[in-house]
Amino acid sequence: DTGVSQNPRHKITKRGQNVTFRCDPISEHNRLYWYRQTLGQGPEFLTYFQNEAQLEKSRLLSDRFSAERPKGSFSTLEIQRTEQGDSAMYLCASSLGSSSEQYFGPGTRLTVT
Amino acid sequence: TQLLEQSPQFLSIQEGENLTVYCNSSSVFSSLQWYRQEPGEGPVLLVTVVTGGEVKKLKRLTFQFGDARKDSSLHITAAQPGDTGLYLCASRFTGTASKLTFGTGTRLQVTL
């Protein structure tokens, strides 16, 4: 399968713990996006990379969130000191260029207890 | 803030019925995508429309882009249980080249 992959698919953590998610985009795609989706809502943009450069961050991305794409391939999203409000589905998408279509991975479901 | 409004929010119909889902904004889209999402999975791209007035067909699904590029509709003919899911419209607004803004979605359930 050559689609976008995300790991883990599910993560349960206690409040205050740190978590890290990984996204592997479609191999030739140079743009990678992170979104967050809460129950009953559409996905909301968090941040995106062109190659290894992080070009835009949403106001939703607090100081506890950090994303990297060190070699312009896979990306990681880390949440420090998790809060219950961080519980959501974290979605990764990739595209070839700025105006082309975005393809989504299956998401990582985070539950903070 | 650029918002996408979808209607209806929920739709429960029987197999064989037709339905239409709407997506509207007060701002002009540069392009609009329709996605379908199943529980616990990521959104799957159905179609992209770019030109005002454009109509695209995908089997029993017909997508229309408004002439002013501020609205779109998705029409499903003879719905089947496999059409069940969350239908999301998403747009790049003029001047925001990269990120997608999503609507809140229409949850469709098709029963036998």
Side-chain angles (χ1 to χ4, degrees):
Chain A
D1 190 319
T2 56
V4 178
S5 63
Q6 291 187 245
N7 288 289
R9 292 293 310 277
H10 304 275
K11 179 71 177 177
I12 299 173
T13 191
K14 292 186 177 180
R15 189 174 54 188
Q17 297 294 305
N18 299 342
V19 294
T20 300
F21 310 140
R22 176 177 170 130
C23 171
D24 288 87
I26 296 171
S27 58
E28 65 269 23
H29 285 185
N30 60 345
R31 291 210 167 193
L32 187 149
Y33 308 80
W34 286 98
Y35 291 82
R36 182 172 71 184
Q37 185 177 25
T38 52
L39 207 59
Q41 301 295 319
E44 294 174 292
F45 171 79
L46 292 178
T47 188
Y48 89 93
F49 293 83
Q50 177 166 302
N51 300 314
E52 64 275 10
Q54 188 173 17
L55 296 186
E56 186 175 349
K57 292 194 289 187
S58 162
R59 287 172 292 175
L60 293 174
L61 214 64
S62 77
D63 292 344
R64 296 183 297 105
F65 288 69
S66 62
E68 294 182 343
R69 195 183 183 197
K71 297 182 180 178
S73 55
F74 72 91
S75 175
T76 58
L77 177 68
E78 182 183 16
I79 308 174
Q80 295 183 327
R81 304 181 303 283
T82 52
E83 302 173 355
Q84 287 187 317
D86 297 332
S87 295
M89 173 79 91
Y90 289 84
L91 294 162
C92 175
S94 69
S95 71
L96 186 62
S98 62
S99 58
S100 70
E101 296 151 339
Q102 294 183 22
Y103 294 88
F104 283 80
T108 295
R109 166 78 61 193
L110 173 66
T111 302
V112 182
T113 61
Chain B
T1 303
Q2 294 149 328
L3 296 174
L4 283 176
E5 295 182 353
Q6 286 189 242
S7 62
Q9 284 188 296
F10 302 98
L11 200 51
S12 182
I13 62 172
Q14 291 190 317
E15 183 180 18
E17 293 185 23
N18 302 332
L19 66 117
T20 303
V21 175
Y22 300 93
C23 177
N24 296 282
S25 174
S26 57
S27 301
V28 174
F29 308 135
S30 62
S31 67
L32 188 127
Q33 284 86 39
W34 283 95
Y35 289 84
R36 189 177 84 186
Q37 186 177 25
E38 298 192 18
E41 298 295 330
V44 175
L45 180 66
L46 297 175
V47 78
T48 298
V49 285
V50 177
T51 306
E54 185 174 5
V55 177
K56 283 191 174 179
K57 292 193 173 185
L58 184 66
K59 296 183 181 178
R60 294 176 294 101
L61 278 59
T62 302
F63 304 86
Q64 191 157 8
F65 203 14
D67 291 339
R69 289 165 43 214
K70 290 184 177 182
D71 59 274
S72 181
S73 64
L74 158 60
H75 181 80
I76 301 178
T77 303
Q80 299 177 358
D83 296 327
T84 294
L86 179 67
Y87 288 83
L88 294 158
C89 63
S91 173
R92 285 188 183 84
F93 288 98
T94 303
T96 61
S98 299
K99 66 181 182 183
L100 289 177
T101 298
F102 280 85
T104 51
T106 294
R107 188 163 299 281
L108 172 66
Q109 182 168 11
V110 183
T111 56
L112 293 170

